[in-house]
């Protein structure tokens, strides 16, 4: 019988109370084997010593800011004791925690509190917790330390009272209100939308400052990166509030999708993550604005997952093999996984989706399930054949749809010819056609949708065609005028679509499409077209941007639109978006120049309207974090950014004034971000002022680090180097690393990709220095190299040389070796361990 275990000292091991000797078991690298385990039931007692203070990998049991806490997903429990560390080994845990009373007055573990008290004759105390629900060890948690607490209660739909507690560093209790409110809304939502009720007597969240991920859904005892708990108007932006709400909801929703039903093995990771991301996205859409949430989610998907899918780190939603599971907590497993669940809901419809989910909960509660089990529930509940749909889990790469629309005035028909391809990805040169739900509309000249009636007289249900072949055609009848095609509405499928439509069609859709996502998409497509032409037609005549400016003007003038939506429409595609759409031989400096020039021209052309809107969206009401107020601020700040786009006095003065006068972090940070783009005295003054105001508040100083790391100018690299020696910076803290090093590598396209390769060298030397202590975070930083092959030859050569140097370094962690070798194409996601 083999048990996993590493990085601790074995004190004793006994079987049915008899101590075992060296001849009874074999110790090996990473585990212990009992040579002759009894055939029947037996009790195994193992005593180990761990050193939480020395644990800088932040996996297993570790110490952060004087708090002992655990992180066991994916394979951290084996750093605490010997155990069969795999998710399909589920057990009922009873945990007794004992500690010095002064050092750890609060003692927590999974489940319900059973008893506690003093340990006689010592200054120690103990607590016993019992979790009646069988769970895999990756969901185990314990916490001990000095913690402040905010408490509340929640009454479930069946009338049970659940105690809610959020634990934070003492003194930060007043920043927990929003998290607690979000938790209660999430609990109610899961009852109403999915019929899921909470199952223990108590639900606890502990916020810690050193944490590798966002948060962890341990049963009954979620442990959070404090970034996703703490929020106050003076210290958190609207985006931070939205992040708290989404992560609180996500981890809570795991109680059913992840904990009650867990994964049979780590290949099924998307079974819990893709599904739970889908659920938290739906929660946010219901709580805030469906259109704006969808746009924000698709921006993130394209920025992270589409790029991953197009590069050397591409892998299927369910990888077939892996070297290091920690490297598969990726945008593909999470975000693309959520898109796959969303497509399922489009294919079977809203009610059909709920039927499938109900069946999933009934059939698999208490079990470790697979993706096949999940999909079978939707097939069975709806009588649907989803066998081809399974390819979404197996094939990597973003499918591409080419659509040609042909109008026949005489026959009054409109024909769609649709062809699909899936590009080759590492280890998968040949692909099979996918099942793709294509949500579409034919928009008439008056802006209204025409009925979608097929040649056989059938109406297209819910406006969704199901594409399944490499090429197919659809003919719609009764079409008297040439319609405008609105394709992939709501971004129902995570694909790229190209269609024979011109700038006039896009302008029309931007003004009239009843699908708000595609109105936004039309503006983005207009801007992308202009930007790509400006980048690739070097020295050529830039195309007129009149169409884009007219489309934006129409959106600014449309009072029926919610401000948050207008703000999204004003946001041009990012430099990374443009680079991704160009796809090869990318010169990040040319992309930056084209984007900056277009922003400047838009700001100039719409100056009066943007100024008026900036004033109209400013109010003196006290800060409230709700979606409508946040939307007004988002629009105000989008206007500010364009008004300052020429770097001239008027816009900079406006930004400097907003920075100084802001009564909340959203407005202050937005003004500072705008100022940061221009090398003027106002910028240096604001950066210094910001530090003085917030010194001593690490989460806020992270914004200060990230802002400076993202400044698109050559002096930035040296500034980032100097900031690594700043007293507020720490290599041991993942949030600091992500703020300074991560922002530089992920957000600063021109400076990370400096033509001299110094940005690459800096990232490599930082990651190598970190690798021995925290390999998970080191590997994640290096994933910034995920699109190096798309760069122009000079940068490409330098990036490759840097990667080769890292790959050749002595004693690389498994995490880092895996990322670097895959980035170099020396191995694929599919030739690791099975
Ligand atoms: Zn999750």
């Amino acid at each position: 019988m083999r048990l996993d275990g590493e990085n601790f000292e074995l004190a004793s091991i006994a079987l049915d109370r008899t101590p075992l000797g060296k001849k009874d078991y074999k110790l090996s690298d990473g585990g212990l084997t009992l040579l002759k385990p009894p055939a029947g039931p037996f009790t195994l007692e193992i005593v180990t010593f761990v050193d939480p203070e020395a644990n800088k990998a932040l996996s297993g049991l570790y110490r952060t800011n004087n708090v002992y806490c655990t992180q066991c997903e994916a394979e951290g429990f084996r750093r605490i004791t010997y155990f069969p560390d795999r998710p399909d080994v589920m057990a009922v845990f009873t945990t007794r925690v004992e500690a010095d009373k002064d050092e750890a007055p609060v003692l927590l573990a999974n489940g319900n509190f059973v008893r506690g008290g003093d340990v006689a004759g010592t200054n120690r105390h103990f607590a016993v917790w019992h979790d009646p629900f069988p769970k895999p060890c990756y969901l185990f948690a314990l916490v001990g330390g000095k913690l402040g607490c905010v408490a509340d209660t929640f009454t479930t739909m069946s009338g049970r009272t659940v105690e809610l507690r959020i634990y934070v560093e003492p003194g930060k209790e007043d920043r927990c209100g929003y998290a607690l409110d979000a938790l209660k809304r999430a609990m109610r939502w899961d009852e109403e939308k999915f019929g899921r009720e909470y199952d223990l007597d108590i639900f606890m969240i502990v916020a810690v400052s050193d944490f590798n991920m966002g948060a962890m859904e341990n049963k009954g005892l979620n442990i959070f990166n404090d970034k996703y708990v703490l929020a106050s108007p003076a210290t958190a932006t609207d985006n931070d509030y939205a992040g708290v709400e989404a992560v609180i909801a996500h981890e809570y929703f795991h109680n059913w999708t992840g904990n009650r039903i867990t994964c049979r093995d780590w290949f099924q990771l998307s079974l819990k993550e893709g599904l739970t991301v889908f659920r938290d996205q739906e929660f946010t859409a219901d709580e805030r604005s469906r259109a704006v949430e969808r746009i924000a989610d698709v921006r993130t998907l394209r920025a992270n997952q589409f790029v991953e899918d197009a590069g050397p780190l591409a892998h299927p939603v369910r990888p077939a093999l892996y070297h290091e599971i920690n490297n598969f907590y990726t945008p593909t497993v999470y975000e693309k996984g959520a898109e796959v669940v969303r497509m399922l809901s489009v294919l079977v419809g809203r009610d059909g989706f709920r039927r499938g989910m109900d069946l999933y909960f009934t059939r698999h509660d208490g079990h470790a399930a697979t993706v096949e089990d999940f999909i079978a529930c939707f097939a069975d509940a709806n009588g649907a054949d989803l066998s081809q749909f399974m390819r979404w889990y197996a094939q990597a790469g973003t499918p591409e749809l080419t659509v040609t629309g042909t109008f026949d005035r005489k026959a009054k028909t409109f024909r769609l010819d649709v062809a699909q391809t899936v590009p080759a990805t590492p280890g998968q040169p040949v692909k099979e056609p996918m099942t793709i739900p294509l949500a579409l509309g034919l928009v008439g000249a008056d802006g209204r949708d025409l009925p979608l009636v097929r040649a056989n007289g059938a109406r297209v249900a819910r406006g969704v065609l199901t594409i399944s072949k490499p090429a197919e055609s659809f003919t719609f009848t009764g079409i008297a005028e040439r319609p405008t095609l609105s394709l992939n509405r709501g971004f129902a499928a995570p694909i790229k679509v190209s269609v024979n439509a011109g700038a006039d069609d896009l302008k029309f859709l931007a003004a009239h499409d009843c699908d708000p996502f595609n109105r936004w998409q039309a503006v983005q497509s207009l801007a992308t077209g202009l930007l790509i032409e400006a980048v690739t037609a070097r020295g050529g005549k830039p195309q007129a941007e009149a169409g884009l400016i007219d489309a934006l003007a129409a959106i600014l003038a449309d009072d029926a639109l919610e401000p948050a939506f207008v703000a999204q429409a004003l946001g041009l595609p990012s430099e990374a978006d443009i680079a991704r759409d160009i796809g090869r031989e990318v010169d990040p400096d040319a992309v930056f120049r084209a984007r900056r020039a277009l922003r400047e021209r838009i700001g100039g052309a719409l100056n009066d309207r943007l100024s008026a809107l900036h004033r109209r969206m400013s109010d003196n009401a006290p800060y409230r974090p709700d979606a409508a107020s946040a939307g007004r601020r988002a629009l105000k700040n989008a206007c500010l950014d364009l008004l300052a786009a020429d770097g001239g006095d008027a816009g900079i003065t406006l930004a400097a004034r907003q920075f100084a006068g802001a009564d909340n972090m959203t407005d202050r940070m937005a003004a500072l971000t705008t100022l940061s783009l221009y090398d003027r005295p106002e910028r240096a003054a604001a950066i210094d002022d910001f530090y003085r105001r917030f010194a001593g508040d690490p989460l806020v100083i992270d914004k200060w680090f990230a802002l400076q790391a993202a400044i698109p100018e050559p002096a930035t690299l040296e500034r980032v180097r100097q900031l690594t020696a700043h007293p507020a910076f720490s290599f041991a803290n993942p949030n600091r690393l992500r703020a300074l090093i991560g922002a530089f590598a992920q957000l600063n396209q021109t400076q990370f990709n400096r033509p001299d390769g110094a940005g690459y060298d800096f990232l490599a030397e930082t990651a190598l220095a970190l690798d021995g202590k925290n390999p998970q975070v080191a590997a994640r930083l290096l994933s910034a190299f995920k699109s190096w092959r798309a760069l122009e030859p000079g940068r490409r050569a330098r990036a490759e040389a840097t990667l080769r140097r890292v790959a050749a370094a002595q004693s690389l962690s498994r995490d880092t070796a895996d990322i670097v070798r895959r980035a170099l194409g020396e191995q694929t996601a599919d030739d690791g361990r099975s």
Side-chain angles (χ1 to χ4, degrees):
M1 177 183 180
R2 194 194 130 84
L3 306 172
D4 303 297
E6 60 192 25
N7 286 75
F8 56 74
E9 194 186 313
L10 176 63
S12 66
I13 177 163
L15 202 154
D16 289 331
R17 308 226 153 216
T18 310
L20 293 184
K22 289 261 154 70
K23 61 178 185 345
D24 302 314
Y25 60 87
K26 202 175 101 211
L27 287 178
S28 61
D29 206 20
L32 175 150
T33 307
L34 288 184
L35 298 173
K36 286 180 194 140
F42 60 93
T43 301
L44 192 64
E45 285 174 78
I46 301 173
V47 179
T48 64
F49 288 111
V50 299
D51 184 352
E53 194 74 55
N55 181 351
K56 301 302 176 198
L58 312 186
S59 166
L61 175 62
Y62 65 98
R63 199 158 188 230
T64 154
N65 259 0
N66 300 323
V67 176
Y68 294 95
C69 73
T70 54
Q71 168 60 32
C72 294
E73 187 177 1
E75 297 176 338
F77 193 76
R78 66 181 62 181
R79 293 163 62 92
I80 299 172
T81 188
Y82 290 110
F83 197 77
D85 188 357
R86 36 186 285 178
D88 61 339
V89 177
M90 299 172 79
V92 170
F93 283 71
T94 301
T95 309
R96 183 181 186 280
V97 196
E98 184 186 312
D100 184 276
K101 276 195 250 184
D102 300 322
E103 193 185 14
V106 174
L107 299 174
L108 311 172
N110 308 92
N112 296 320
F113 180 75
V114 179
R115 64 183 179 278
D118 292 346
V119 179
T122 69
N123 190 41
R124 295 168 73 81
H125 67 152
F126 74 96
V128 176
W129 294 81
H130 175 73
D131 179 3
F133 296 95
K135 64 170 178 286
C137 65
Y138 81 85
L139 291 171
F140 171 84
L142 73 77
V143 169
K146 276 195 194 104
L147 291 159
C149 178
V150 177
D152 202 342
T153 58
F154 177 84
T155 306
T156 70
M157 60 184 182
S158 72
R160 282 190 315 107
T161 301
V162 175
E163 195 173 342
L164 309 179
R165 284 192 210 157
I166 298 184
Y167 290 93
V168 291
E169 237 172 70
K172 296 201 168 149
E173 293 88 343
D174 59 346
R175 293 197 206 173
C176 299
Y178 190 75
L180 198 51
D181 175 60
L183 173 61
K184 287 189 285 187
R185 285 185 283 122
M187 294 176 86
R188 187 64 71 216
W189 185 89
D190 212 14
E191 293 183 344
E192 288 168 358
K193 294 288 158 148
F194 287 99
R196 297 299 107 198
E197 187 174 4
Y198 187 63
D199 47 10
L200 291 164
D201 301 338
I202 183 167
F203 185 82
M204 297 175 284
I205 290 172
V206 179
V208 299
S209 49
D210 295 284
F211 203 72
N212 279 348
M213 321 270 271
M216 178 63 212
E217 69 263 24
N218 318 299
K219 180 82 186 186
L221 179 57
N222 287 187
I223 298 180
F224 268 60
N225 187 327
D226 58 2
K227 178 178 163 57
Y228 293 109
V229 173
L230 304 175
S232 73
T235 58
T237 62
D238 290 328
N239 282 340
D240 294 330
Y241 275 95
V244 168
E245 180 182 78
V247 178
I248 292 267
H250 177 97
E251 306 307 333
Y252 174 74
F253 296 153
H254 268 314
N255 190 53
W256 278 93
T257 51
N259 300 3
R260 290 282 289 253
I261 306 178
T262 193
C263 301
R264 187 191 67 183
D265 51 67
W266 290 122
F267 299 107
Q268 323 296 325
L269 181 57
S270 195
L271 174 70
K272 76 176 178 78
E273 294 305 343
L275 176 55
T276 306
V277 170
F278 170 76
R279 273 151 54 71
D280 83 56
Q281 290 177 348
E282 284 297 291
F283 169 70
T284 307
D286 284 346
E287 294 287 303
R288 293 171 176 247
S289 153
R290 186 157 286 271
V292 173
E293 169 69 3
R294 191 67 192 129
I295 292 166
D297 289 341
V298 173
R299 272 190 193 274
T300 307
L301 179 82
R302 285 175 170 159
N304 301 323
Q305 201 280 324
F306 275 28
V307 173
E308 183 168 85
D309 235 357
L313 301 182
H315 56 273
V317 170
R318 179 167 61 179
L321 299 150
Y322 59 78
H323 286 267
E324 173 49 65
I325 186 59
N326 286 325
N327 286 343
F328 282 88
Y329 287 72
T330 59
T332 296
V333 168
Y334 278 64
E335 273 81 29
K336 187 175 181 180
E339 295 299 324
V340 174
V341 176
R342 182 174 302 280
M343 277 188 287
L344 197 57
S345 76
V346 173
L347 284 170
V348 300
R350 217 174 120 111
D351 296 342
F353 186 74
R354 175 67 195 264
R355 277 195 298 277
M357 286 298 293
D358 286 349
L359 182 57
Y360 179 60
F361 291 126
T362 312
R363 208 182 254 180
H364 297 290
D365 184 16
H367 295 130
T370 62
V371 166
E372 279 80 2
D373 293 334
F374 176 68
I375 296 295
C377 291
F378 294 88
D380 294 352
N382 295 285
D385 178 2
L386 295 169
S387 46
Q388 189 183 359
F389 185 79
M390 285 301 295
R391 285 181 191 154
W392 280 101
Y393 288 98
Q395 293 194 147
T398 306
E400 296 171 10
L401 226 53
T402 306
V403 181
T404 310
T406 311
F407 174 54
D408 184 335
R409 190 174 300 276
K410 223 152 107 202
K412 293 191 177 171
T413 59
F414 190 80
R415 195 183 75 235
L416 276 189
D417 295 303
V418 183
Q420 66 156 304
T421 54
V422 185
T425 49
Q428 294 187 333
V430 182
K431 303 290 170 72
E432 300 293 325
M434 310 281 256
T435 299
I436 300 172
L438 181 63
L440 81 165
L442 300 180
V443 188
D446 62 355
R448 269 190 259 175
D449 276 10
L450 305 172
L452 292 175
V453 181
R454 302 279 297 273
N456 62 4
R459 282 207 165 223
V460 176
R462 303 189 302 275
V464 178
L465 296 172
T466 303
I467 309 294
S468 58
K469 304 189 183 86
E472 47 203 308
S473 296
F474 304 87
T475 301
F476 304 102
T477 57
I479 311 286
E481 54 182 342
R482 179 189 172 275
T484 306
L485 246 180
S486 172
L487 285 173
N488 203 19
R489 281 184 159 171
F491 204 71
I495 57 174
K496 294 181 186 170
V497 180
S498 60
V499 58
N500 62 331
D504 285 344
D505 292 319
L506 291 172
K507 209 174 125 183
F508 179 81
L509 292 176
H512 299 293
D513 201 321
C514 68
D515 178 60
F517 180 86
N518 271 4
R519 277 188 87 170
W520 171 81
Q521 180 60 59
V523 177
Q524 291 287 300
S525 299
L526 280 168
T528 302
L530 290 171
L531 288 162
I532 290 182
E533 190 167 304
V535 173
T536 50
R538 289 189 181 96
K541 187 165 104 346
Q543 198 188 320
E545 60 266 358
L548 172 65
I549 289 178
D550 288 353
L552 287 173
I555 285 178
L556 290 179
D558 188 342
D559 286 335
L561 293 171
E562 50 186 337
F565 175 86
V566 181
Q568 288 284 1
L570 286 179
L572 289 183
S574 70
E575 290 160 57
D577 288 336
I578 302 159
R580 184 195 63 238
D581 282 340
I582 293 173
R584 48 193 291 275
E585 310 290 313
V586 172
D587 172 358
D589 290 324
V591 170
F592 174 76
R593 282 193 300 271
R595 188 173 181 277
R596 177 165 275 201
L598 184 60
R599 286 174 65 238
E600 193 176 331
R601 291 201 296 278
I602 294 170
L606 297 174
N607 189 288
D608 293 349
R609 281 173 250 217
L610 292 167
S611 298
L613 205 49
H614 183 265
R615 276 193 301 277
R616 194 143 60 84
M617 291 296 131
S618 307
D619 55 34
N620 296 320
Y623 177 90
R624 284 179 33 224
D626 64 278
S629 312
R632 292 173 63 84
R633 280 186 291 273
L635 179 51
K636 176 175 70 178
N637 292 320
C639 292
L640 174 69
D641 198 49
L642 286 170
L643 286 167
D646 62 357
D649 290 340
I652 296 297
T653 306
L654 191 63
R657 210 183 302 140
Q658 178 174 316
F659 175 80
D663 71 344
N664 65 78
M665 182 53 84
T666 305
D667 287 340
R668 194 182 305 281
M669 199 62 209
L672 185 60
T673 304
T674 294
L675 288 173
S676 76
L677 299 174
Y678 310 96
D679 186 9
R680 297 182 43 131
E682 290 89 342
R683 172 172 82 185
I687 288 175
D688 288 349
D689 177 80
F690 190 92
Y691 184 76
R692 276 194 303 276
R693 281 174 196 266
F694 299 105
D697 195 328
L699 289 178
V700 183
I701 295 305
D702 281 348
K703 299 179 191 303
W704 183 78
F705 282 130
L707 176 108
Q708 296 181 79
I711 292 176
E713 60 189 32
T716 293
L717 177 57
E718 189 45 39
R719 186 188 297 113
V720 172
R721 272 188 198 283
Q722 285 170 10
L723 285 171
T724 59
H726 192 280
F729 185 78
S730 159
F731 275 99
N733 180 285
N735 286 355
R736 299 304 90 76
L737 285 164
R738 280 187 284 257
L740 186 61
I741 316 294
F744 175 73
Q746 302 279 359
L747 304 180
N748 199 332
Q749 299 291 316
T750 58
Q751 301 315 305
F752 173 57
N753 295 300
R754 281 164 61 120
D756 63 3
Y760 305 144
D761 290 343
F762 171 69
L763 183 68
E765 92 200 26
T766 308
L768 283 174
L770 183 64
D771 193 44
K773 297 191 183 74
N774 191 333
Q776 281 185 36
V777 173
R780 220 161 296 144
L781 288 176
L782 286 168
S783 68
F785 281 103
K786 63 180 175 284
S787 44
W788 69 276
R789 279 181 198 279
L791 294 162
E792 52 78 27
R795 288 173 171 89
R796 198 161 67 218
R798 293 196 187 275
E800 181 171 5
T802 304
L803 283 168
R804 295 212 179 279
R805 213 165 49 246
V806 177
Q810 295 292 309
S811 59
L812 276 191
S813 69
R814 203 166 63 199
D815 305 62
T816 292
D818 171 52
I819 286 284
V820 171
R821 283 177 196 144
R822 275 160 55 208
L824 282 167
E826 289 172 0
Q827 77 191 20
T828 69
D830 281 1
D831 54 24
R833 70 181 180 176
S834 55

